[in-house]
Amino acid sequence: MDKILEAVVMSSYPNNVKQGLVRRVIEAAKQPMDSEQCWSMLELSTKLYLLGDTKYKREIGKEVLEVYGHYHPEEFEEFFNVRFLLSLLQEGYGPLGKRSHYVLDYIQLGLQFVLESPSANSIFGLLRIEVLRKVCERPSLKQCAKISRLLTQHPQCIPMGKHQVLFCQQLIWCIRQFQCVSEVEEDIMEFLEQVNKVSGLLQRIWRTQTSAILPSLKELFTIISSTEEQEAPSNALASVVQFVPLELMDGVIRNLTNDDSITDVQMMTAISRMIDWVSWPLGKNIDKWIIALLKGLAAVKKFSILIEVTLSKIEKVTPGSLWPPLDVLQQVLLVLRAPELDTVFQLLPHIPRLVVSLKKENSNSATSSLEQLAELIHCMFFRFSGFPDLYEPVLEAVKALPIPNEDRIKHLLGQNAWTSQKNELACFYPRLASKSETGKIGLINLGNTCYMNSIIQSLFMASDFRHSVLNLTEGNSQPLMTKLQWLFAFLEHSQRPAISPESFLSASWPPWFTPGAQQDCSEYLKYLLDRLHEEEKTGKRIYQKLKESSMMSQAVEHHYLNKTLIEKMFGGKMMTKIRCLKCLNVSSREEVFTDLSLAFPPPDRHVRGSTSVLPVEEIGPQFIEPPENTIQLMGSPWSQRKAPTAGDPAAPPMPVETLGVQEPGEAVNPLSGNAVGVDAAKDTPSAFGEQTCAPKDSRSVPDLINYFLSPERLTAENKYHCEKCASLQDAEKVAELTEGPHYLILTLLRFSFDPRTMKRKKILDNVSIPVVLKLPILVAPEETKEDLQRGKDRPASGSGFMSVVYDLCSVVVHSGVSSESGHYYCYSRECTDTIPHGQPQDGVPKPASDKQLDFEIQWYLFNDTRVSFSSFESVSNVTSFFPKDTAYVLFYRQRPGSQSCPLHEALAEAGCLHGEPSLHKDLMEAISKDNILYLQEQEKEARNRAAYISALPKSPLWWRDFDKDKDDDNSSGGCSPAAGGGGSNSFHGLVF
């Protein structure tokens, strides 16, 4: 009968004819038959099934086997013996080079007929050993899928005990190599189905034998954390993770993150590959495991791994695809005290694209993710305040999304407040920090020291002051000034992107400041200037260049050489006059100042428009012309005012610090009206229009100065003791500026004490800042002689007010809601004399005030280690974009030619004669050595970085172009020690 069947199958008859003949043979096989005939038929059907070159032949072989296994069980059991199966599994079937691929299918088919036979246990024992051997040989995906089908149908064949653990581990190694290179949908679906069969076997084993899970996961982690593999592991490994019970997650993560034998590089490699698994179509719970691992790393303070991984993966976000999972991004955005904060900021350029991707998703989950993302972004704004250049594009992207309230933000921050960590990966992948494209150098935040950094950068950008400090001679016996000179010199000439001001901080630290706490930058500035002034005042004179000025009279030379550098640069004078309203006697007292503290008028105080004729004016700089007559007769401050009568309303008593409020009907400001000498400037349009003019109900810097200079009524409990009347009397107090400083420092008193909460609160009012300011200076009669000699017209008689023009050069911004918290940064530009001072012609020096001021002078944003280009538009609009970011301290430079100040000419003459400041030998050598050291550090870091990159895993593609990144975009806080982007080891080569 076997010969008949073989002849029929091999014949050329049509298949329908063959089928009829085969049916007859199969029906005949159901009848009793001798053993020899059964063996012949079993051998033929085995041959057809294993070596048949068509599906039809294999199907016939299968049918015959099934008939004989069912109707002739004894003969089938005798044929299907252990020796035969061992031969099939070890040697294969068929001629050499053409071994059958269907051996496992054949065994699976035959096992169903011997399950109850006496030889069953022997067969199961054999198969347990052989399937383990097979997987150790790393068979193909198809063979692994066949093994999985066999063991799933016949679990008795699954290895047991230690062999079972080994089998699971080896099966994971097999999955590691699975790849699909086809782009045909049917092939892809078949690939996914086969992978799921293999991983499903692991699930079956783990359900019955949980002790095999942890060893399997350990092997899985070994595979994905290896940095020695030439080819990246397959994403198919994600199918393994989806079957790990979630109740084991905490223990697994705890073991991984606390295992000292796992290096940071291995951990980062593993996470990177797990993130690649997110693309696996049928994977489940992958994001949960990634998030749990990230949180586990956070718990052991390994933030550098989290940041580096996110930076390497965030660029995979393209329109239409969503990576990373929101919770992954959440953890990284809330690395509140990460050692390399600048790397967190590198995420920001990708956030707008992430928002676009979520919006295109147009699903409930995407909408929820968008809202969560917006919350996280506002948390970052709150925690890392003070980065307007980075935040504006992000803010624009999420402006239509809900804004969380402050309580919600604090709640989120409290949940994710990670602490700082030493960068353990620094030796493996140091980020090459390069000097800012601006050419300027940043300052490292040493722990809430942004208040000092902003002040130092503002003083450094005051070019006249900087040149004077750099020109100090060696051995000047001024320790603090010498440290400032070294700091300025390195800011000027270092090749580092940022330097540490640690030495200067310890030398200039106010003793009442709390280490590590946020401080008031204005308070620090006052203390610093006072220290520098007192240090020089004790006899250590500097700045001898003024003595060489031939343009000074002996009296003026003596006057200025007796001043300290701080007095020359920042010192002004103010006359305070108090007039008794009964006897009209006036007492006066002159005092010096280095800054003007400007209080905010109460809300009901009338704010004058910027086009009104004010003693302080905001003007368009490009229209400024040197005034021909800058002095105008004003007479006594009260000469134009009538004596008060009994019916005059009295001003309410107010503390001197707030400067009082004038009630309607009260005497008007004596400096208003014709106080400003140049009427032509009244109607001059502002160069920036709305950007330099305050909104209708907002404040401006001229408003605050006018309020400062306005009279204050002293009445009731605040009465003045008049010496002439010998009693307490109602009086009026007024302040007048008698000498304008070279650099005018204005502090906006934004912090006031709230008696209800017993805390200092911040006034968040937006204040428009003019780029050019005109300030009224009271001129004494003897000073007008100098003006006459210098070509100025003499007033008719008495004193007058001169309008002095100031150019804005720095704005220190406070970001936050309290003086004890928040962040400081500053905008600065260098205001210098662009037109050289020529020799006097007919006693009149060539004016420099007709220069094109500028909006052409470049603005810079100094934010600790970060330095970037900026503009006056950004300065003007920062509070509009970020309401908690408000101007706090302003630096103005007096424009040459606007006041009869010999200091301008002396500085200009010194600059023309000597050019750039020449540093003394020791300082130049120190800078040169440090620059060489920095270059060596860069070379070493470049080598380490190259070695690290070569070890990084590449994203595996389980089918071609699946992970292709089509986005070619390669664009690139708070007050922690690394705020503003600090933290690179290369910064710390030298401290000051």
Side-chain angles (χ1 to χ4, degrees), residues 414-430:
Q415 288 181 331
N416 298 274
W418 297 353
T419 54
S420 60
Q421 164 226 15
K422 181 180 178 182
N423 186 356
E424 299 175 4
L425 292 177
C427 59
F428 295 104
Y429 62 95

Side-chain angles (χ1 to χ4, degrees), residues 485-502:
Q485 181 190 41
W486 278 63
L487 184 54
F488 277 7
F490 273 81
L491 285 174
E492 182 95 356
H493 299 290
S494 177
Q495 293 301 313
R496 296 180 182 272
I499 56 178
S500 171
E502 184 176 355

Side-chain angles (χ1 to χ4, degrees), residues 237-255:
L237 288 170
S239 63
V240 176
V241 177
Q242 67 179 328
F243 295 125
V244 180
L246 294 180
E247 54 267 25
L248 298 179
M249 182 181 289
D250 290 342
V252 171
I253 297 301
R254 193 180 308 113
N255 289 339

Side-chain angles (χ1 to χ4, degrees), residues 341 345 381-388 391 443 445 448-451 453-454 518-519 521 751 762 812-826 861-866 884-886 888 973-976 978-981:
L341 187 58
F345 289 149
F381 290 165
F382 186 90
R383 179 61 183 86
F384 302 127
S385 57
F387 297 89
Y391 291 166
L443 291 169
N445 192 307
N448 281 324
T449 58
C450 55
Y451 66 90
N453 291 348
S454 298
Q518 184 60 278
Q519 306 294 343
C521 75
F751 302 109
K762 181 179 178 181
V812 178
V813 176
H814 177 263
S815 178
V817 295
S818 167
S819 61
E820 289 81 23
S821 62
H823 179 57
Y824 288 99
Y825 57 95
C826 73
L861 174 57
F862 294 90
N863 198 334
D864 290 334
T865 55
R866 294 181 56 83
K884 294 178 183 178
D885 292 26
T886 53
Y888 184 40
C975 290
S976 62

Side-chain angles (χ1 to χ4, degrees), residues 233-494:
S234 170
N235 278 352
L237 288 170
S239 63
V240 176
V241 177
Q242 67 179 328
F243 295 125
V244 180
L246 294 180
E247 54 267 25
L248 298 179
M249 182 181 289
D250 290 342
V252 171
I253 297 301
R254 193 180 308 113
N255 289 339
L256 284 176
T257 54
N258 289 281
D259 190 342
D260 294 334
S261 66
I262 300 174
T263 67
D264 287 350
V265 174
Q266 288 175 323
M267 183 64 75
M268 192 178 69
T269 303
I271 297 175
S272 297
R273 286 169 173 163
M274 288 179 68
I275 292 173
D276 287 329
W277 295 350
V278 175
S279 64
W280 183 257
L282 304 179
K284 298 178 182 178
N285 301 329
I286 304 299
D287 56 338
K288 293 183 176 66
W289 280 95
I290 295 174
I291 294 163
L293 185 53
L294 292 175
K295 288 182 176 179
L297 291 171
V300 294
K301 301 179 176 62
K302 295 189 176 182
F303 312 108
S304 51
I305 301 176
L306 309 180
I307 296 171
E308 191 69 18
V309 166
T310 303
L311 287 179
S312 66
K313 298 299 180 183
I314 190 68
E315 293 182 359
K316 286 184 174 291
V317 179
T318 59
S321 67
L322 177 56
W323 191 98
L326 183 73
D327 292 331
V328 180
L329 183 61
Q330 172 182 6
Q331 292 301 315
V332 181
L333 287 177
L334 295 180
V335 179
L336 299 183
R337 296 167 189 253
E340 290 186 86
L341 187 58
D342 189 55
T343 59
V344 179
F345 289 149
Q346 292 183 42
L347 294 173
L348 296 181
H350 304 284
I351 289 180
R353 289 191 291 123
L354 183 59
V355 172
V356 171
S357 295
L358 285 169
K359 287 181 178 179
K360 286 186 176 182
E361 191 81 7
N362 194 25
S363 64
N364 292 335
S365 61
T367 302
S368 174
S369 297
L370 269 175
E371 293 174 355
Q372 293 179 56
L373 181 60
E375 281 189 338
L376 302 178
I377 290 170
H378 285 286
C379 283
M380 187 173 61
F381 290 165
F382 186 90
R383 179 61 183 86
F384 302 127
S385 57
F387 297 89
D389 57 327
L390 295 174
Y391 291 166
E392 284 187 16
V394 179
L395 186 63
E396 180 69 22
V398 300
K399 65 180 181 181
L401 300 175
I403 300 175
N405 58 37
E406 191 166 321
D407 290 340
R408 172 64 177 165
I409 289 175
K410 290 180 178 178
H411 173 71
L412 290 172
L413 294 181
Q415 288 181 331
N416 298 274
W418 297 353
T419 54
S420 60
Q421 164 226 15
K422 181 180 178 182
N423 186 356
E424 299 175 4
L425 292 177
C427 59
F428 295 104
Y429 62 95
R431 288 193 170 276
L432 295 182
S434 57
K435 195 170 182 179
S436 166
E437 61 181 353
T438 63
K440 304 296 181 183
I441 296 174
L443 291 169
I444 294 172
N445 192 307
L446 302 173
N448 281 324
T449 58
C450 55
Y451 66 90
M452 177 190 70
N453 291 348
S454 298
I455 293 299
I456 290 175
Q457 294 286 18
S458 297
L459 293 174
F460 177 80
M461 294 296 285
S463 53
D464 298 332
F465 176 66
R466 178 178 75 244
H467 289 158
S468 299
V469 171
L470 292 176
N471 273 320
L472 287 174
T473 57
E474 191 174 5
N476 53 66
S477 301
Q478 299 178 70
L480 184 58
M481 186 67 83
T482 299
K483 286 184 180 294
L484 183 63
Q485 181 190 41
W486 278 63
L487 184 54
F488 277 7
F490 273 81
L491 285 174
E492 182 95 356
H493 299 290
S494 177

